[in-house]
Amino acid sequence: MLDLKGYEGSLLEGAGVTLQVALASLLLAMLLGMLGALAKLSPYRWARAIADLYTTIIRGIPDLVLMMLLFFGGQVFINFVLTWINESYNAWLLKSNPNQEWISLVPDYIDISPFAAGVATIGFIFGAYMAETFRGAILAVDKGELEAARAFGMRAHQVFVRILFPQMMRHALPGFGNNWLVLLKTTALVSIIGLDDMVRKASLAAGSTQLPFTFYMAVALIFLVFTAVSTSLLKWVERHYAIKTR
C-alpha cells in the first residue's frame, strides 16, 4: 500500500520545504504577534486601532483566499508601485532636461517567489492569532512584579527580557502550541501557488502513477510525525518554563 514507486526522495525533499515554510512562517508570526499584542495594550489609541483592525480582518477571511490574494494581487500591486515610481521619477527629470534618457530608479518588475509569498502569507495570518495569544499571556503576568522591577531601576528592555517574557511564555505556551500545529497543517496551502512542497510533490507523483491514496497517505503520515515531534518539544518547553518561573 505504501510502495512509493521510487518517489521517496521527492517526498522527503518536499517535506523539507514544508518544514522550512513552517519554521520561517512561525518566526514571522511570532514577531507580528508580539508587535500586535504590545499595540493592543498600548496607551495610544491609534496603535490599538491598527492592531484591532489587523486581527479582525485576518481572522475574518479564509486562509486560502488570503493566500491567493496576497500572492497574485500582491505581486500586481508591488509591480504597479515600482512602475509608478520609475515613471514619476523620469517625468520629474524630463521637466529639467527634455533629452534625458530613461532611468530605472527601481526594478521595473519583481517576480515574487512562491516560497516568499507562502511564508509572508502564513506568517501574516498567524501573526493575528499569536497577537491574541500573547496579549492574554501578558495580561496574566502579575503587575506587581513588573512594578517591582522598575522600582529596582531596570530599564524597559530588561523588564521585558528578565520578568515579562519568561512569565508570559508560561501562560502563552498552550495557545502558542495550538497555533503552531494549525500553522504546520496550513503549509499545505502553498502547493496552490506552485511551491514544490510535500503536498505538490505527492500530487505530481499521484498523477504519474495513478496512486493518489498511496501518496496522500504518505503525506498524512509525515504530517503526523511532524505533529508528534512538535508535541513532544512543546511539552519539554512547558516543563522548562514551569521550572524557571517557580
Side-chain angles (χ1 to χ4, degrees), residues 8 14 49 107 118 123 125 205 217 219 223 225 228 232 240:
E8 295 88 351
I125 291 170
M217 177 60 71
V219 169
F223 270 116
V225 171
S232 298
H240 172 77

Side-chain angles (χ1 to χ4, degrees), residues 88-110:
S88 300
Y89 179 70
N90 282 275
W92 176 74
L93 290 178
L94 287 173
K95 289 181 179 180
S96 56
N97 185 5
N99 297 322
Q100 175 70 44
E101 295 182 358
W102 180 272
I103 298 176
S104 293
L105 190 63
V106 293
D108 293 320
Y109 182 82
I110 292 179

Side-chain angles (χ1 to χ4, degrees), residues 14-31:
V17 173
T18 295
L19 198 55
Q20 291 174 29
V21 171
L23 292 174
S25 300
L26 178 65
L27 291 176
L28 179 59
M30 290 176 63
L31 175 61

